[in-house]
Amino acid sequence: ISMNILVFTIGAFCITGRKEFMTLRAAIFNPSMFGLVIAFPLYLIGARSFLPDFLINGMDLLGTMSTPLCMLILGVRLATVPLKKLFCRPFIYLVCLGKLILFPLFCYGAVYLLPLDPAFKSSVLILCATPCASIILNLAEMHNREAELAANCVLVTTLLCFLTIPVLTLLL
C-alpha cells in the first residue's frame, strides 16, 4: 500500500513535474487502492469459499497475468529502441549508479548499527540492489512522458544488477 501511495503521488510528480499529483486525493484514489478496497473485504469474509469457480478462476488469471503483461509492454517498448541509443545516454548510467549502488549502500548503512539479525541486514542490502521496477514504465506510459527512457532504465539496471549485486554482497 505504501509503495503504491508513493508511486501515484511522488512518482507521478517526478515524471510529470505537476504538483497536482502530490495530494491526499491522488494517494487515495488510484487503481491500486480501488483494488484493495474491493479485494480486502472479500479476503476477510473468505469469499473463495462461496464465490463461483469462474469468478475465482478469473481473478486468479488476472493476478497471474499482471507481471507478464508488464514485461510484454516493456519488451515492446524496448524492441523499438536502437541499441546505440539504449547504451549511449549518460543519464541512464546515473540512474544505475543511484539505484544499484548508492541506494543499497545507504539502506544498508541505515540498518547496519541497529540491533537486527544479520540475515535481515543482508536482505535489506540485496532487496535494495534490485533493478528498477517496471512501474516507472507504466507511469511514463500513463502520463505520456519519457517512456523510452523509463524502459531503457529498467533494462540497463536489470542487466547491470548481475554485476552489482554480487559485488555488493561482498560487503556482508
Side-chain angles (χ1 to χ4, degrees):
I1 295 171
S2 60
M3 184 195 81
N4 287 317
I5 289 172
L6 289 173
V7 163
F8 285 100
T9 54
I10 296 171
F13 170 73
C14 289
I15 286 180
T16 64
R18 296 174 20 207
K19 289 185 180 181
E20 65 204 41
F21 293 106
M22 298 288 293
T23 64
L24 183 61
R25 183 179 190 279
I28 294 173
F29 297 105
N30 63 62
S32 299
M33 295 301 278
F34 288 134
L36 176 71
V37 167
I38 293 168
F40 192 61
L42 290 174
Y43 171 76
L44 289 177
I45 62 172
R48 277 191 171 271
S49 61
F50 62 85
L51 284 177
D53 284 341
F54 75 92
L55 279 178
I56 298 296
N57 293 338
M59 287 187 280
D60 287 341
L61 179 64
L62 188 62
T64 56
M65 184 180 73
S66 62
T67 299
L69 185 59
C70 287
M71 295 300 108
L72 181 67
I73 293 168
L74 178 63
V76 167
R77 175 61 70 182
L78 289 170
T80 63
V81 178
L83 279 179
K84 183 177 180 177
K85 196 171 184 182
L86 178 64
F87 293 105
C88 294
R89 289 182 76 175
F91 183 71
I92 292 174
Y93 293 103
L94 184 64
V95 169
C96 291
L97 174 71
K99 175 63 181 112
L100 298 176
I101 296 171
L102 299 177
F103 180 65
L105 289 175
F106 171 78
C107 292
Y108 185 67
V111 298
Y112 183 74
L113 296 175
L114 295 175
L116 299 169
D117 186 71
F120 178 81
K121 293 177 186 179
S122 300
S123 64
V124 166
L125 176 73
I126 293 168
L127 286 173
C128 291
T130 56
C132 294
S134 63
I135 188 75
I136 64 169
L137 176 61
N138 298 351
L139 280 175
E141 292 280 355
M142 285 170 50
H143 297 290
N144 296 320
R145 305 283 176 134
E146 296 287 345
E148 182 181 300
L149 176 63
N152 294 355
C153 288
V154 172
L155 177 67
V156 174
T157 57
T158 301
L159 293 174
L160 289 178
C161 81
F162 288 104
L163 298 171
T164 58
I165 290 177
V167 169
L168 286 172
T169 56
L170 292 174
L171 295 172
L172 304 176

